[in-house]
Amino acid sequence: MLMAHPAVLRELVQRYEALRSQAVQGTGGAEVRQRMEDAAYTLCVSTGTREVGAALTEARRRMSGARGRDDLALVSG
């Protein structure tokens, strides 16, 4: 399975959360809802999940794992 780079996942999570915040506040209307759905779909595809909650959890898990590997590379490099 292809794995999205942690930087890509970070950007997708940030985009989804910003759009969700706008939708909750009621700003942006249908365009914001559509962009949020698109971001959720992309997150699901990028994480191999079918539900946005699971996609967010998986993306965060992968991002935190990548930080740990970066820290190890600094220590061992």
Side-chain angles (χ1 to χ4, degrees):
M1 173 168 93
L2 293 174
M3 304 262 291
H5 191 278
V8 171
L9 292 173
R10 190 169 295 109
E11 192 278 328
L12 285 169
V13 168
Q14 289 171 347
R15 181 185 323 157
Y16 176 80
E17 289 177 342
L19 290 165
R20 182 176 60 186
S21 177
Q22 288 179 17
V24 167
Q25 294 172 8
T27 58
E31 180 184 348
V32 166
R33 284 191 303 278
Q34 181 61 53
R35 290 175 54 208
M36 187 178 76
E37 289 176 19
D38 292 345
Y41 174 81
T42 304
L43 265 169
C44 288
V45 169
S46 298
T47 58
T49 60
R50 294 177 183 246
E51 193 272 325
V52 71
L56 290 166
T57 299
E58 180 63 16
R60 289 182 180 117
R61 185 189 67 77
R62 290 185 194 176
M63 289 184 304
S64 69
R67 276 194 295 261
R69 286 193 302 277
D70 291 345
D71 292 344
L72 287 175
L74 291 173
V75 170
S76 63

